[in-house]
Amino acid sequence: MNEKSKTSISTGGFSRREFLMASAGAAALITAGTFANIARAKAPHALPPLPYLENALAPVISAETIGFHYGRHHKGYVDNLNRLIEGTPFSDMTLEKIVMETADKPKKDGIFNNAAQVWNHTFYWNSMKPEGGGERPDALKKRIIASFGSMDRCRKELAAAAVTQFASGWAWLVADGDALKIIKTGNAKTPLTSGMKPLLTIDVWEHAYYLDYQNRRTDYVNAVIEKLINWSFAEKNLGL
Ligand code: MN3
């Protein structure tokens, strides 16, 4: 790959300036309400800004991976969704409503897959932060200990779900009623449609880690949990 194509790839198809502006704008937008606002947005759906700069998660996740994953994959789902819902009743629904209305309806697979992937990816970007990992906030810690017995057990179950999800999918920390649980979903599936409240997620599609870790998914998962996972985001999602 020559230097020129490398540069255009690392910004995911945006001009360098547009990309930096979007990323810088995002840093100012991180509030408890930001993610909910995205989920409530209607068509045309926009690619939500990254909550940090594209190189902010390196070396755990490189700027090159973010360039492809956010700038190409996530953007692709947004573009496909807008194209698929144009002129249909779905164009007047929030993103979350589209996900709920199309789940488990084989004829609506295309819309579901793209809508759920838009939602899942925005949730994933927010599930990580530079200098993440470490200790959980106290209120969340109490709930984790009540459900898993220990912090370490929660971390291990999350890693195990992420590593053992066969092929593409997601590992999640969710609230199912009063209990916190670890679950995994395949492809675009999301716990939202099973009545559970997502708290955190890790993307285990190969595009999330292959440039940095090749086939070593376990190394990617452990590094994300140790160094990037945003426990404060989980606490906010739990309403604590
Ligand atoms: Mn992905």
Side-chain angles (χ1 to χ4, degrees):
M1 186 185 298
N2 66 35
E3 274 312 302
K4 198 177 169 205
S5 63
K6 204 171 176 183
T7 302
S8 70
I9 282 165
S10 72
T11 54
F14 293 94
S15 77
R16 185 89 193 155
R17 188 164 170 273
E18 280 171 342
F19 192 86
L20 289 175
M21 282 176 69
S23 304
L29 277 175
I30 308 174
T31 64
T34 303
F35 182 75
N37 291 343
I38 290 160
R40 284 196 291 266
K42 290 187 180 180
H45 297 276
L47 178 65
L50 268 183
Y52 29 71
L53 294 170
E54 66 175 302
N55 61 1
L57 304 184
V60 177
I61 300 177
S62 67
E64 190 184 22
T65 290
I66 303 268
F68 274 110
H69 196 178
Y70 171 71
R72 301 288 179 89
H73 291 274
H74 194 175
K75 183 176 187 299
Y77 297 126
V78 171
D79 293 344
N80 286 338
L81 175 65
N82 283 326
R83 186 172 45 76
L84 289 168
I85 64 176
E86 196 179 350
T88 75
F90 297 106
S91 67
D92 199 37
M93 293 179 195
T94 63
L95 180 61
E96 214 157 281
K97 176 99 169 151
I98 296 172
V99 170
M100 301 302 278
E101 293 285 321
T102 55
D104 302 316
K105 291 183 183 149
K107 285 182 182 162
K108 302 293 180 200
D109 260 4
I111 294 176
F112 173 80
N113 287 334
N114 285 285
Q117 285 294 76
V118 173
W119 195 99
N120 291 347
H121 279 88
T122 305
F123 200 79
Y124 168 64
W125 302 126
N126 283 276
S127 294
M128 300 182 290
K129 65 176 182 182
E131 313 283 320
E135 274 299 297
R136 289 74 168 162
D138 279 348
L140 178 67
K141 200 168 177 176
K142 278 186 192 141
R143 294 287 299 274
I144 286 178
I145 289 172
S147 290
F148 296 93
S150 71
M151 313 295 291
D152 200 43
R153 184 79 212 155
C154 173
R155 192 188 62 77
K156 283 189 174 140
E157 281 191 31
L158 180 59
V163 168
T164 59
Q165 165 57 33
F166 185 72
S168 296
W170 304 82
W172 306 82
L173 172 65
V174 299
D176 188 7
D178 286 338
L180 302 195
K181 292 180 180 169
I182 300 292
I183 64 161
K184 51 190 176 181
T185 61
N187 296 319
K189 290 223 163 74
T190 157
L192 274 183
T193 59
S194 314
M196 292 181 269
K197 184 188 280 186
L199 305 178
L200 280 178
T201 195
I202 301 177
D203 187 342
V204 296
W205 284 57
E206 285 185 346
H207 64 224
Y209 60 88
Y210 220 82
L211 290 175
D212 298 327
Y213 297 87
Q214 295 76 50
N215 61 325
R216 292 174 286 115
R217 188 195 285 189
T218 305
D219 291 352
Y220 155 73
V221 165
N222 287 336
V224 166
I225 294 173
E226 269 170 45
K227 296 176 179 157
L228 299 181
I229 209 87
N230 185 350
W231 296 107
S232 302
F233 181 62
E235 190 170 80
K236 275 180 204 149
N237 290 324
L238 200 48
L240 296 173

